[in-house]
Amino acid sequence: MLSLRSVSSSLSFPLRLLPRRSLSTPPITTLFSRMSYGPAPEDDTAARQWLQSHEGTFGAFIDGQWIKEGPTVPNTSPSTGETLSKTHQSPRSLLDLAISSSSKAFETWSTLSPHARSRHLYSIARNLQKHSRLLSVIESLDNGKPIREVRDSDVPLAVRHFYYHAGWAQILNEEMRDYKPLGVISQIIPWNFPLLMLAWKIAPALATGNCVILKPAPSTRLSAFLFADILKESGLPDGVVNIVSGDNDIAGKMVEDGRVDKVAFTGSTEVGKMLQRKVAGRNVKLSLELGGKSPVIVYDSADLDGAVEGLVNGIFYNQGQVCCAGSRLLVQENIYDKFIEKVKRRMATLRVGGSLEKNIDMAAVIDEAQRSRIEEFVEIGRGEGADVYQPTECPEEGCYYPPTLITNVHSTSRLVQEEIFGPVLVAQSFRTPNEAIKLANNSRYGLSAGVWTEQLGLALETALSVKAGVLWVNGHNNFDAAAGFGGYKESGFGREGGKEGLYEYMKLKWKPRGQKAVTDEIVARSDSWGKGSAAPLPSAPVGGGGESGDLLPAVDRTPKMYIGGAQKRPDGNYVLPVMSSDGKTLLGQVGAGNRKDVRDAVQAANKAAPGWGKRAAYNRSQILFYIAENLSVRRKEFAQRLDDMTGCGAEEASKEVEESISRLFTYASYADKYGGSVQETAFYGVTTSVNEPVGVIGMVCDSHDRPLLSFISMIAPAIVRGNAVVVAPSEKFPLVAMDLYQVLDTSDLPGGVLNIVTGESSVIAKTLAEHQHVDGVWYFGDVEGCYNVQKRAANNMKRTFVCSEERDWMSKEEGEGEEFLREASEVKNIWMPMGESMSGAGAAY
């Protein structure tokens, strides 16, 4: 049995759906039929009084004042359909006022002492705690979720985030001395966890010195409005947090405004893609926490009863309206029938009722549109011949949907591939761990996953192999402010919580503030960008000649592409000339890479990535040291090449080569020192953050300054973190990268880890940004290139690292360090319980 601890000892959640009954008793349905539960309603008097104190009508909260302008829409309770209040839809003029207020407040808030900001966050945390019951009731009424879940999970965790980030505010100058706040932050939160998502976003933004404009979801605004009252009580300076209400139109304007420095969004993948396109090229930071289709893997070595409890909580918590809900059940074939029967028997005990009833397990879904969407998916399953199990009846009044289990489905079914966002569990079987991992990764999402087994080695191997940002071992839905949360692939990018979440709201001090101008001309040329220019014509011969004055041409040495560890001819059989710095001498020619060359390189990188990513960090560091060693042997040759191409002079060329060698040493040294950390959460167990490789990274090094150093500075951190790379060197000065081929061949670098494609930067960048098997794109070039790369990368939510600023690559502050390592890594948080009985349901252990 699990040990019982009070919720105050652990803020991981959700709490166990109650009651848990022994599955070895006589038929559970018979037992349940003998039991009855009287009503246990939560008193909502205080909540009604608070609503009445605002006369049942709310507006925007700007500069510490309530402003009621614009048409009103009702706030209704999903459980009863009752109209709780009305809200004014903020017009554009109020959004302008809110952004101006935040911009002005930033001048003061960002310059406060760390202790002063810490005291403000501490005050917010204390006042949230004091009003926790009122917050719980308001959230339950407005969202429709069970009061027990809000009271025991959502509110305590929201409080925890403000306490945790009050601590970061206090020590920020010491721990992140090279960083500064971004400025004005637009935050858009969803309806499934209104208060919790508010806390996840506002707390780190304020702790790092930013000011916020928040837009709550149209259907769940009340807890944000109550939070505004609590901010006034807490003494937060006016304008630091402004709240506007409105529909998707006002959200779009929040993103497009030229005074906004960052957008933080939690919601659907489709909207996330739209936002990525809107901020493309503008130097607006973006973090996205999007959809999920999270697998729960149950091995035959699992504690099956514990796994049933964890599974039921993982999918039916908050009526399945959770981005990381365990909605895909994968069970080992030899226990499949037995486990499914246990799940069905447990589902038969679940109670569905009004949100303020304290003894129910599930309440209402958010609205009729969501209920219709859920029903549509279930009918698709029936139409495909799947088996649908729904044991529980729902109240006739209100917006309810019963807990649902669907079996006998195939892997390509929409029920398996698409997010339903409701209390619907889809089950499949597997035979081997390798098959389980392949099924788990057969998804465009990568937010979270669960694994159930008593074998620690199998648990960790599975956790590290599944492509998801959060992995729970023998549990589900554990969260804490000290541990980051966020996804891979189309589940978004960026992290919320933990130290990794702070970087989302800060930038290096050397970087300028303010948006870049994406002109109408850039937008108009977007469709033709990256299509390439006409093929070059023959030019003068490469300089050289025979001995003794013989008038002989030089022996041709046209570098080919470097793909899969070998030199490959360009697919199009075109070449580009490379001229001397004075433009008079042809130094050489390089292949003009096309889409086929890039596709071949990406294929080679994908083949190499899994093995390279699993190599020991020490081994990867040794290979980087070898590259540095071999480059050092040929330093004079590389310096001469740099001088010939750029005309920088022998001294500057030598400095660039020496700094390139030093940079290789830097990242070789980081190889076994950036693996992750153990997070100190309130969870009874070990929560570890692992810095994993992104996968295949496409790079375009379009810098005309320091072509060797910029090239090394980009590829070295990516390779040492276990990524495979497809890179386009400087379009103007590519020969120095071509000269590296023999260095790579003699440095034990496995084929396919580094692939080099020469040619027009825009052609290669466009192909990489659009390629479905590229996981991230780095582009260092002009604003037009940044815009087009980010816009096209949104098609499958690639991570992008773009920069149109002129970097001083010789500067260690700008040209190397943690920024590059972070961009080359995905942070995965793995939660592992401790104790004699390690299985659990996501509650306090």
Side-chain angles (χ1 to χ4, degrees), residues 18-22 25-38 348-349 351 359:
L18 298 178
R20 179 181 181 178
R21 302 178 181 85
S22 171
T25 58
I28 196 70
T29 52
T30 302
L31 175 63
F32 182 62
S33 66
R34 299 173 186 165
M35 304 175 70
S36 62
Y37 295 86
T349 71
R351 299 177 302 279
N359 61 6

Side-chain angles (χ1 to χ4, degrees), residues 80-306:
T80 63
E82 171 195 7
T83 296
L84 300 170
S85 65
K86 294 181 180 180
T87 301
H88 289 270
Q89 299 283 73
S90 301
R92 177 60 192 262
S93 59
L94 289 189
L95 176 60
D96 288 337
L97 186 63
I99 296 176
S100 296
S101 171
S102 289
S103 298
K104 181 180 179 180
F106 175 72
E107 297 174 6
T108 303
W109 179 253
S110 62
T111 60
L112 285 183
S113 70
H115 179 63
R117 283 206 300 269
S118 179
R119 287 279 291 271
H120 278 294
L121 267 75
Y122 181 84
S123 178
I124 295 170
R126 291 290 294 151
N127 282 288
L128 286 174
Q129 247 178 340
K130 287 190 293 186
H131 299 295
S132 61
R133 200 74 173 199
L134 176 59
L135 282 162
S136 300
V137 177
I138 286 294
E139 187 86 324
S140 183
L141 282 169
D142 196 29
N143 175 272
K145 62 173 64 180
I147 180 66
R148 180 170 51 82
E149 293 180 0
V150 189
R151 180 197 65 203
D152 298 341
S153 300
D154 295 25
V155 174
L157 190 54
V159 172
R160 162 76 170 138
H161 270 265
F162 278 97
Y163 276 129
Y164 175 78
H165 287 96
W168 270 117
Q170 178 76 20
I171 62 176
L172 200 67
N173 283 4
E174 288 72 32
E175 293 295 319
M176 302 186 74
R177 59 174 56 91
D178 296 329
Y179 292 83
K180 64 182 180 182
L182 295 173
V184 175
I185 316 295
S186 288
Q187 297 181 333
I188 304 168
I189 59 174
W191 48 259
N192 58 332
F193 289 95
L195 178 66
L196 192 52
M197 294 298 100
L198 174 153
W200 282 24
K201 287 179 168 55
I202 289 181
L206 267 53
T208 49
N210 301 280
C211 293
V212 168
I213 301 104
L214 178 84
K215 192 197 86 67
S219 55
T220 53
R221 296 165 168 160
L222 293 184
S223 56
F225 295 151
L226 177 53
F227 179 76
D229 279 352
I230 292 173
L231 290 183
K232 291 289 290 183
E233 183 181 56
S234 303
L236 188 73
D238 294 342
V240 174
V241 173
N242 294 298
I243 301 173
V244 295
S245 57
D247 53 19
N248 291 335
D249 182 60
I250 201 77
K253 291 180 172 62
M254 288 173 66
V255 173
E256 294 164 355
D257 194 285
R259 295 166 290 178
V260 169
D261 299 282
K262 175 193 165 66
V263 176
F265 172 78
T266 297
S268 72
T269 295
E270 289 70 25
V271 175
K273 291 180 179 181
M274 179 269 291
L275 294 177
Q276 188 172 358
R277 295 183 184 107
K278 279 185 176 292
V279 304
R282 289 169 40 204
N283 194 37
V284 175
K285 204 161 187 175
L286 179 66
S287 58
L288 300 171
E289 195 267 279
L290 308 175
K293 193 69 178 177
S294 301
V296 176
I297 301 171
V298 181
Y299 290 111
D300 59 8
S301 53
D303 169 5
L304 298 189
D305 288 348

Side-chain angles (χ1 to χ4, degrees), residues 602-749:
V602 171
Q603 184 178 18
N606 271 281
K607 184 177 180 180
W612 180 245
K614 287 191 174 183
R615 284 216 184 185
Y618 171 71
N619 179 264
R620 296 197 299 266
S621 73
Q622 289 298 296
I623 290 175
L624 245 67
F625 280 130
Y626 293 159
I627 295 173
E629 177 184 323
N630 289 318
L631 177 59
S632 179
V633 170
R634 298 171 58 187
R635 60 164 63 90
K636 291 183 179 179
E637 173 190 339
F638 276 85
Q640 184 62 56
R641 177 71 86 182
L642 286 170
D643 189 18
D644 289 343
M645 288 192 303
T646 67
C648 62
E651 182 178 356
E652 283 300 312
S654 295
K655 287 181 180 179
E656 181 173 347
V657 175
E658 290 301 325
E659 187 57 36
S660 299
I661 295 168
S662 173
R663 204 138 292 177
L664 286 164
F665 264 68
T666 294
Y667 290 114
S669 303
Y670 266 119
D672 52 6
K673 302 172 184 66
Y674 200 75
S677 62
V678 174
Q679 314 284 39
E680 295 195 75
T681 68
F683 169 74
Y684 185 67
V686 176
T687 308
T688 178
S689 67
V690 180
N691 291 330
E692 294 190 324
V694 172
V696 173
I697 299 179
M699 296 183 176
V700 176
C701 184
D702 200 27
S703 173
H704 297 328
D705 184 39
R706 306 292 182 182
L708 175 63
L709 181 58
S710 59
F711 183 85
I712 294 293
S713 298
M714 291 175 67
I715 65 168
I719 288 173
V720 85
R721 287 306 315 144
N723 300 281
V725 173
V726 177
V727 58
S730 169
E731 179 179 339
K732 188 176 181 181
F733 306 125
L735 292 178
V736 72
M738 307 299 97
D739 293 339
L740 281 171
Y741 290 176
Q742 290 179 329
V743 171
L744 300 175
D745 287 338
T746 56
S747 301
D748 297 338
L749 185 71

Side-chain angles (χ1 to χ4, degrees), residues 373-407:
R373 171 183 167 83
I374 298 167
E375 181 61 34
E376 178 185 346
F377 270 103
V378 173
E379 290 305 312
I380 288 172
R382 287 193 174 101
E384 293 176 346
D387 298 320
V388 178
Y389 177 73
Q390 295 177 322
T392 307
E393 295 183 358
C394 294
E396 294 182 2
E397 298 292 330
C399 198
Y400 296 90
Y401 198 84
T404 303
L405 170 66
I406 300 181
T407 54

Side-chain angles (χ1 to χ4, degrees), residues 191-192 319-323 365 370 373-374 419-423:
W191 48 259
N192 58 332
Q319 298 67 252
Q321 299 169 133
V322 185
C323 52
V365 296
Q370 185 63 19
R373 171 183 167 83
I374 298 167
E419 185 178 39
I420 299 174
F421 220 63

